Amino acid sequence: MGRFSSRLARAVLAVTLGPVTLGSGILTGGSRLLAIDCNQNGTEDANDISNRISKDCNQNGVPDECDLQPSFAFEPAKTPTCGTDLLNTIDVAAADFDGDQAMDIASAYRNSNQVCILRRNADGSYEGIGMYEVGSGPWAMVSGDWNGDGKPDVATINRIAQTLSVLINDGNGIFKNAVDFFLEFEPFDLRAGDLDQDGFADIAVIGGFNFLKVLWNDGDGDFSLNTNFTVPSYPNAMTLGQFDGGDQLDIAIGSNSGNPATLAILLNIGNRDFLPLGEFNYSDNPSAMTTADLDGDQDTGTSPWPTTNTTLSPCSGTTATEVSPLAMSTRPA
């Protein structure tokens, strides 16, 4: 049966210390989870490795394909009470809104055009502590410190109203009424980051036929000053990152511009301006994007475009091509 590594042996011990159940090839116990057949091919993981069916490049006793899967389990979901539109939640943001060092949740409701603030209680449950009106048709939201007081605020983009709604937090989870900023197009996604390096979080919004609007934060949560940029048609996913290895945040945008779809990189050249680096094609329409150090080289900005034909691996140097710093979730056209 192949030998277990010391890490795997410790996991076995952790499992035996608590209630143990077996189902779908997974042993769970206490707060640890041990996969006996994590790839569910009918063969124990140790045998997969010893028979070279699966690789184990970091020699931790777990097949490489399973190292990319979460090694934890969640308790059953608890549905909090907050208004009457909870089932129509379109997006959420998590932050410590009331300053008690526990993560709270802001939830945007698309039908009632509201944001609900859900406070985390000591027992892990959540309760609604406030409802706030935002523009018509909220579609996505983000949290950030808009006025520089060290307390997380929130903002939503609203597709019907074509606005950005900004809510300022007093630090106790109580928010001022939303202030709206007109976008001039139907928004689809937004990200927050200090794009001009003045110490305040700005907000970038994409949408419409080919629009990117960067709303510059004056430090008091006023986003009246903004700049428009043209991007590939039908943008619907974006992320921020340092793609050229510099110290400024660049922008990556995925667009449903046709078949193939398009990834555009805009390099931040300072003075509140961006330089289009180029457009790169890929097969499917993007629905979400993020930036991460996927190849473990502690650098998310070495390559400004996604490497093609790349196999994800938890260990460096085990694939022929470098894993891109960009990760995209796609959906059929």
Side-chain angles (χ1 to χ4, degrees), residues 14-25:
V15 168
T16 60
L17 293 178
V20 178
T21 59
L22 180 61
S24 302

Side-chain angles (χ1 to χ4, degrees), residues 41-329:
N41 66 348
T43 304
E44 291 187 0
D45 296 339
N47 288 338
D48 279 343
I49 295 170
S50 63
N51 294 328
R52 298 185 178 181
I53 297 173
S54 297
K55 293 183 179 180
D56 181 20
C57 65
N58 54 4
Q59 298 182 354
N60 67 346
V62 179
D64 289 351
E65 64 267 24
C66 301
D67 275 334
L68 296 172
Q69 299 175 1
S71 59
F72 51 84
F74 290 96
E75 296 179 357
K78 300 176 182 178
T79 303
T81 300
C82 192
T84 59
D85 200 24
L86 185 63
L87 295 180
N88 289 304
T89 297
I90 188 66
D91 201 8
V92 297
D96 180 11
F97 295 119
D98 59 0
D100 65 352
Q101 299 184 348
M103 295 298 286
D104 309 304
I105 297 173
S107 178
Y109 298 161
R110 61 182 176 181
N111 286 358
S112 63
N113 305 321
Q114 293 175 313
V115 166
C116 174
I117 305 300
L118 297 148
R119 179 174 60 197
R120 185 183 187 276
N121 297 319
D123 63 358
S125 63
Y126 286 82
E127 63 174 330
I129 59 173
M131 297 283 290
Y132 301 91
E133 299 291 330
V134 294
S136 179
W139 186 253
M141 70 186 312
V142 68
S143 177
D145 180 9
W146 311 140
N147 59 353
D149 63 356
K151 302 166 184 175
D153 311 304
V154 296
T156 67
I157 49 172
N158 314 302
R159 297 190 70 179
I160 297 175
Q162 298 187 9
T163 58
L164 172 79
S165 294
V166 173
L167 296 99
I168 301 296
N169 180 12
D170 71 354
N172 296 311
I174 306 301
F175 288 75
K176 297 179 180 179
N177 291 336
V179 177
D180 292 339
F181 299 91
F182 189 50
L183 297 173
E184 304 173 291
F185 58 85
E186 183 181 14
F188 203 92
D189 199 7
L190 81 167
R191 290 292 186 272
D194 185 5
L195 295 170
D196 56 3
Q197 294 188 310
D198 64 354
F200 304 113
D202 310 300
I203 297 178
V205 182
I206 56 170
F209 177 68
N210 59 352
F211 290 106
L212 162 68
K213 182 185 288 288
V214 178
L215 297 99
W216 307 106
N217 186 354
D218 71 350
D220 291 322
D222 186 346
F223 293 88
S224 299
L225 186 62
N226 59 78
T227 307
N228 290 327
F229 300 89
T230 300
V231 297
S233 56
Y234 304 111
N236 70 336
M238 70 183 305
T239 188
L240 307 180
Q242 297 170 334
F243 302 126
D244 62 349
D247 60 354
Q248 301 184 100
L249 286 174
D250 310 307
I251 302 176
I253 297 174
S255 297
N256 295 337
S257 52
N259 190 7
T262 301
L263 168 68
I265 303 294
L266 288 82
L267 293 184
N268 191 334
I269 58 176
N271 297 317
R272 296 184 171 180
D273 199 7
F274 291 84
L275 175 67
L277 176 65
E279 298 177 10
F280 310 92
N281 296 330
Y282 55 97
S283 59
D284 294 317
N285 294 330
S287 59
M289 299 176 66
T290 190
T291 307
D293 181 12
L294 298 178
D295 61 354
D297 64 356
Q298 299 182 3
D299 188 354
T300 60
T302 57
S303 173
W305 52 82
T307 305
T308 58
N309 301 321
T310 302
T311 302
L312 289 176
S313 171
C315 302
S316 299
T318 59
T319 56
T321 56
E322 180 180 359
V323 177
S324 163
L326 285 173
M328 291 172 287
S329 170

Side-chain angles (χ1 to χ4, degrees), residues 2-42:
R3 62 185 180 85
F4 286 105
S5 70
S6 59
R7 174 179 167 183
L8 202 56
R10 288 195 297 271
V12 172
L13 178 60
V15 168
T16 60
L17 293 178
V20 178
T21 59
L22 180 61
S24 302
I26 301 293
L27 278 177
T28 61
S31 60
R32 299 295 300 273
L33 180 149
L34 169 63
I36 301 176
D37 182 16
C38 69
N39 53 17
Q40 298 185 16
N41 66 348

